[in-house]
Amino acid sequence: VQLQASGGGSVQAGGSLRLSCAFSDGAFSSYALGWFRQAPGKKREFVATISWGGGSTTYRDSVKGRFTISRDNAKNTLYLQMNNLGPEDTGVYYCAKDDSATEVAGSYDYWGQGTLVTVSS
């Protein structure tokens, strides 16, 4: 399984970005998927997760109402729409797959390479 994250960049506070994560595996629709991020000098943290069918999503409190996780099972692609970004959202964003939707990073078995998001004030 290969995961390729993209869409990161530099934006000003209040801006938006849309991250994508393309999967090489044809079993994509059977996976729960998640986004995590790691700020400089900090531990990797959970951002959002989505169930295999897309019917269930979970977010960390600080991104609720601003971020939206979604998936297109026909395109084998995971997305993260990020609106009203703030400097606290700066970090490397990683996509990952799991058998069930969980907030625990250690549960995920495959990870993308990460894409950098930088938000300036």
Side-chain angles (χ1 to χ4, degrees):
V1 178
Q2 292 185 328
L3 292 68
Q4 183 71 38
S6 62
S10 297
V11 297
Q12 291 188 328
S16 298
L17 284 173
R18 188 192 195 200
L19 305 184
S20 298
C21 181
F23 281 64
S24 65
D25 194 330
F28 174 83
S29 61
S30 66
Y31 303 142
L33 306 169
W35 286 100
F36 291 76
R37 66 187 180 190
Q38 187 166 17
K42 295 187 177 181
K43 294 182 179 180
R44 189 172 299 188
E45 64 182 19
F46 165 77
V47 176
T49 187
I50 187 168
S51 61
W52 64 271
S56 177
T57 57
T58 304
Y59 300 90
R60 71 179 297 108
D61 287 345
S62 63
V63 308
K64 286 179 180 177
R66 300 188 298 122
F67 290 13
T68 302
I69 187 172
S70 63
R71 63 191 295 164
D72 187 334
N73 286 348
K75 296 182 178 180
N76 286 4
T77 303
L78 172 70
Y79 303 100
L80 185 68
Q81 177 67 44
M82 305 186 295
N83 299 326
N84 193 22
L85 285 161
E88 68 276 11
D89 296 314
T90 294
V92 177
Y93 282 69
Y94 299 90
C95 54
K97 66 165 279 290
D98 196 357
D99 292 330
S100 60
T102 174
E103 300 177 26
V104 180
S107 179
Y108 289 76
D109 53 0
Y110 285 90
W111 293 78
Q113 85 289 359
T115 184
L116 177 62
V117 172
T118 303
V119 185
S120 58
S121 58

